[in-house]
Amino acid sequence: MITGQRILDTFFPMLKGGKAAVPGPFGAGKTIVQQQIARWANADIVLYVGCGERGNELVEILQSFPELIDPYSGRSLMERTFLVANTSNMPVVAREASIYVGVSMAEYYRDQGYDVVMVADSTSRWAEALREVAGRLGQMPVEEGYPAYLASRLAAFYERAGSVETLAGKPGSVSLIGAVSPPGGDFSEPVTSHTKEIIRTFWALSKPLADARHYPAVSWLESFTDYSARAAQWWAENVSPKWSSRRQQALALLAEADELERIVNLVGPEALSSSQRWVLESAGLIKEAVLQQSALDPVDSYCSPQKQFQLLDLVLKFHDGGSHLIELGVPVEQLIELEFSGALKRLKSTVTNDDLTPLAEFEEKFEKVFSAIRIEHQGDREAVS
Ligand SMILES: Nc1ncnc2c1ncn2[C@@H]1O[C@H](COP(=O)(O)OP(=O)(O)OP(=O)(O)O)[C@@H](O)[C@H]1O
Ligand SMILES: [Mg+2]
């Protein structure tokens, strides 16, 4: 499944017929992630279930979707979208039903051979509705007042995701993506922890990232996906055979940089070697040039798979080129002063999906500068010896 969001497609991909959760504390960007998926997912039908959340968010969809164009069919987005509304002011018993209405409609279209994506915002409000109804029925409360069947109800809902072959022999699928709003951002509370056991893709939103205005605030340390091996096949066939190795290289760089940042906080940047400083620099580039993606930017809101890969590949080529120079003894300061990074960070919103040639031109530019530095440096060394 392609959503046009780099952190989701490239780093934590999901397949059609898969199940995913977007947990995140208050204001971390759950609704925006769900809306971006509703806008740009390569599905035939999208079901947006507004479950116990704000009414104005649904109104916003009603107003904006008719004006947006589906990048796959070229027609109005509203033509493929269903809204199931049970906003926070509507009856709680109907809230329990809203999720089932959504998923039953999804199955109806799946059985006709369509790829359906259902996003539910938020499954926590749905669980709270279960709790309220169970309380009124006098059922015994268990963890945090939720009924004992919370886990099995959540599992029964997510298990309705899947791919099928219809009786007419066509492929169809239902993909389920649920937002989870744990109180206080505590992922160990019952709804988040039960959901985590059931789903296979976990896009964890992080408060510190959202506070730093790093959007989408999907944490690369806490998120996971079980589908990366299958997704790698698709990317290798359709985009590039290097996808899997580049993805792993980027994730390793990000993890190493987090470790290094801890050292810097303890003992200061002087403790780092040149190549470690270059790792920090490159991880910063990955975060700003690749991971950050504004939903409000008209160019960057949707990023095609080709652009996703080429952008990541470009940043990593820049990193590899710089690492090579550092091995030769070029001081890291000289590379940091080059001022390519500012331009690299802007490429995502200046280069459009249908013309990626500026990315190749950019690569030529820095390769030229890198090879000049190499020749100059080798000349200096020969002069010294
Ligand atoms: N991808 C993004 N691009 C730009 N801005 C974003 C992005 N994601 C989140 N934001 C900003 O974060 C704000 C809060 O996001 P959102 O309403 O999705 O959070 P939420 O997790 O759904 O919050 P709540 O728990 O209140 O429902 C948005 O209004 C927007 O300003
Ligand atoms: Mg929200």
Side-chain angles (χ1 to χ4, degrees):
M1 190 172 111
I2 295 299
T3 65
Q5 312 302 303
R6 288 182 291 270
I7 180 82
L8 309 187
D9 297 346
T10 298
F11 289 88
F12 302 101
M14 171 180 183
L15 303 181
K16 282 182 177 168
K19 33 190 181 251
V22 191
F26 164 71
K30 299 177 291 294
T31 303
I32 302 264
V33 166
Q34 302 250 32
Q35 287 188 356
Q36 285 296 85
I37 293 171
R39 276 190 192 127
W40 308 126
N42 55 346
D44 302 312
I45 308 274
V46 172
L47 272 143
Y48 192 101
V49 182
C51 178
E53 294 285 320
R54 298 171 203 88
N56 67 327
E57 291 171 350
L58 286 169
V59 174
E60 208 178 282
I61 294 183
L62 262 180
Q63 285 172 342
S64 64
F65 274 33
E67 286 159 21
L68 291 168
I69 301 295
D70 176 3
Y72 305 96
S73 70
R75 295 168 61 173
S76 162
L77 259 191
M78 205 62 212
E79 284 183 31
R80 68 160 200 187
T81 311
F82 287 94
L83 296 177
V84 178
N86 182 276
T87 52
S88 48
N89 58 331
M90 289 160 83
V92 167
V93 183
R95 185 160 315 151
E96 190 191 343
S98 66
I99 290 273
Y100 297 126
V101 170
V103 73
S104 302
M105 284 163 77
E107 285 169 342
Y108 173 76
Y109 286 102
R110 176 203 65 193
D111 290 344
Q112 294 176 35
Y114 292 113
D115 288 318
V116 187
V117 170
M118 169 171 154
V119 293
D121 190 14
S122 125
T123 56
S124 293
R125 306 283 163 261
W126 176 67
E128 284 161 16
L130 286 182
R131 174 165 68 186
E132 228 176 291
V133 172
R136 286 185 208 179
L137 293 172
Q139 292 166 345
M140 186 156 66
V142 195
E143 352 161 54
E144 299 197 8
Y146 289 107
Y149 47 76
L150 173 70
S152 58
R153 287 286 173 87
L154 277 168
F157 162 63
Y158 280 109
E159 280 306 325
R160 291 170 77 170
S163 301
V164 298
E165 191 187 305
T166 65
L167 291 177
K170 284 201 283 180
S173 65
V174 170
S175 313
L176 293 179
I177 300 161
V180 189
S181 0
D186 168 18
F187 285 3
S188 65
E189 59 91 41
V191 182
T192 319
S193 56
H194 290 314
T195 303
K196 199 171 178 179
E197 285 167 21
I198 304 159
I199 49 84
R200 300 191 60 193
T201 300
F202 194 68
W203 293 319
L205 299 181
S206 127
K207 187 78 186 148
L209 285 179
D211 287 345
R213 303 233 147 266
H214 174 111
Y215 293 121
V218 178
S219 158
W220 48 89
L221 295 176
E222 283 175 274
S223 303
F224 64 80
T225 181
D226 285 346
Y227 301 122
S228 54
R230 289 279 300 282
Q233 282 176 10
W234 183 89
W235 283 86
E237 282 161 22
N238 294 279
V239 182
S240 163
K242 281 186 348 192
W243 179 81
S244 192
S245 62
R246 282 313 208 189
R247 170 180 179 266
Q248 270 159 15
Q249 187 187 357
L251 284 171
L253 262 176
L254 289 167
E256 190 183 347
D258 275 331
E259 202 58 44
L260 293 175
E261 258 158 36
R262 219 163 301 154
I263 298 177
V264 170
N265 286 341
L266 282 175
V267 285
E270 300 77 29
L272 299 186
S273 67
S274 288
S275 62
Q276 286 174 326
R277 283 188 59 195
W278 187 240
V279 165
L280 269 186
E281 192 66 20
S282 302
L285 265 181
I286 295 178
K287 289 175 203 169
E288 287 188 55
V290 182
L291 298 184
Q292 288 186 4
Q293 185 172 1
S294 170
L296 311 170
D297 183 318
V299 174
D300 204 28
S301 185
Y302 170 77
C303 184
S304 71
Q306 276 72 18
K307 183 175 159 190
Q308 296 193 24
F309 175 75
Q310 290 194 24
L311 208 53
L312 178 66
D313 194 42
L314 186 68
V315 172
L316 291 173
K317 276 179 180 153
F318 187 72
H319 169 75
D320 293 340
S323 301
H324 183 61
L325 290 178
I326 287 172
E327 270 168 36
L328 294 177
V330 175
V332 66
E333 291 80 9
Q334 191 180 346
L335 297 179
I336 294 174
E337 278 166 16
L338 283 177
E339 292 178 352
F340 275 116
S341 56
L344 251 179
K345 289 171 193 167
R346 282 192 298 274
L347 286 174
K348 59 183 178 185
S349 48
T350 52
V351 178
T352 57
N353 289 312
D354 23 74
D355 180 16
L356 301 177
T357 43
L359 297 178
E361 287 164 15
F362 193 90
E363 183 187 337
E364 258 172 50
K365 252 195 272 172
F366 74 68
E367 289 293 1
K368 232 181 249 167
V369 173
F370 277 3
S371 67
I373 295 178
R374 186 164 50 238
I375 291 164
E376 186 190 336
H377 186 74
Q378 277 165 348
D380 287 353
R381 292 233 321 235
E382 273 158 26
V384 169
S385 60

